[in-house]
Structures are given as structure tokens and as C-alpha cells.
Amino acid sequence: MLYEIENEGEEIRTIMLKDRTATHKLKPLVTGDKLPYLNLVNRTDDRDTSGVPGFFTSIDDLLDNQPLVIAFYSPNWGHYARPYLETLVRLSYGLKAVGANLLVFSDERAKIVARQAGPVDLLIAQDTRLSVARRFGLYSEDDPVWDRISGISDDVFLPAIYVVNPDRIITCHSIAEYFDRLPDPARIIDAVLELSPVV
């Protein structure tokens, strides 16, 4: 693209800006992929552990012979954020009914997300540096979401939900790459039930 720039001396210069090409494009994990190993820091100011028994420091502690649902949420998604969070709240109630855990990674502090969610017990882990989202392929500095989606101006990750079996294999995923649809809680719960049917 060619741009004309006028300086203080009223001289006009033409410059050419090259399109930025992403060297590391977004490539989210999908069904069949193995979950990366993740350590979780157990700090009360970064995470709300209500509703989840015991102390844990990794995803493996949460899996412990039962499926786990992992979701990514950002309040910086503009008009998409509130309906997405409401969907996560509905999903959490359904998962509790079938004995599964929901872990939500957010780029916001856990206390703020918990306040936005209302009176529901959500397990929230803070991902302020977006390092977890990067390992899931949901975030890349070279391929920013705000560069592709109108109405988002913050550096955020893609909305995603994963169902993970005890072997750390993703058995179901839901990713809204263009923020054009909300996840289906019934589909996620069905995927969990396939792994551990209610007796």
C-alpha cells in the first residue's frame, strides 16, 4: 500500500507499507490432539478453587480418572463476551450434574471473572501472559485476533472449549474463530457422558 505523508516543512513523501505476514499463524488444538502438560500455580489471588476438592498443581490432578472440560474466556471480547460467559455458567451446572470439572482460563483476574459470572462455582485460572492460550494454539503475537475480527481491540485469544479424557486426549472441541457462534452446552455434556456415563 502506498501512503503519502506530509512533514512539518510541507514536503510530501510517499512510503510503501508491506502487508504483515504471520510467521506463526494460529493453529488451535483440535479433537484427537494431546493436551500439553500444564502446571497450575495454586495462589488464592489468581484462582478460585471453590467446588473442586483437594489441592492440585497440574491438569493431571484435575483429570484423575474423570473427564475435564477446559474453556478459554476473555471479558475483552466486546459484545461476544457476556453471552459466552452465560453459556459457560449454564455448562458448569450441567457438568456438575454429571460429575465433571470445568476449568476456565481467562486473561482477567479470577475474582473479577467470578463476580461477572454470578453465584456459580467456577474454577478459574488466570492466563494474563496468554502462555496457556499460546500452547493451545489459540493465541499468537504474529496473528492477532484484533487484526482479523472487527470490534476487538485488545490482545486476546480465541474462544474455545475442550473435553479432555484422563489420558489427556482431546475428545471434543468447540472453537469460534470468527466469534460468530456460541458453544453448545448439550454437545459438550454429551461428549463428557460418552467418556463417563452416569450410573
Side-chain angles (χ1 to χ4, degrees), residues 124-182:
I124 304 163
Q126 191 173 355
D127 187 21
T128 50
R129 294 188 183 132
L130 308 179
S131 59
V132 176
R134 190 178 291 111
R135 293 189 68 194
F136 274 75
L138 301 169
Y139 172 78
S140 171
E141 294 89 350
D142 292 345
D143 192 11
V145 171
W146 53 261
D147 206 16
R148 299 181 303 135
I149 306 297
S150 176
I152 296 177
S153 58
D154 293 302
D155 209 10
V156 295
F157 42 73
L158 291 175
I161 297 178
Y162 295 97
V163 177
V164 183
N165 72 16
D167 296 323
R168 292 183 26 232
I169 302 297
I170 297 168
T171 62
C172 179
H173 73 279
S174 173
I175 301 168
E177 291 191 48
Y178 297 99
F179 297 76
D180 55 350
R181 61 183 164 74
L182 291 170

Side-chain angles (χ1 to χ4, degrees), residues 1-6 12-18:
M1 276 189 159
L2 293 175
Y3 288 92
E4 289 186 345
I5 298 177
E6 185 176 339
I12 297 177
R13 282 188 9 207
T14 301
I15 62 169
M16 180 180 213
L17 294 180
K18 295 181 181 177

Side-chain angles (χ1 to χ4, degrees), residues 54-76:
F55 178 88
F56 61 90
T57 58
S58 74
I59 294 291
D60 289 344
D61 293 336
L62 286 173
L63 283 166
D64 194 28
N65 295 318
Q66 65 181 1
L68 173 66
V69 177
I70 298 174
F72 288 82
Y73 164 74
S74 174
N76 300 312

Side-chain angles (χ1 to χ4, degrees), residues 19-24 142:
D19 289 337
R20 178 176 60 190
T21 54
T23 56
H24 188 261
D142 292 345

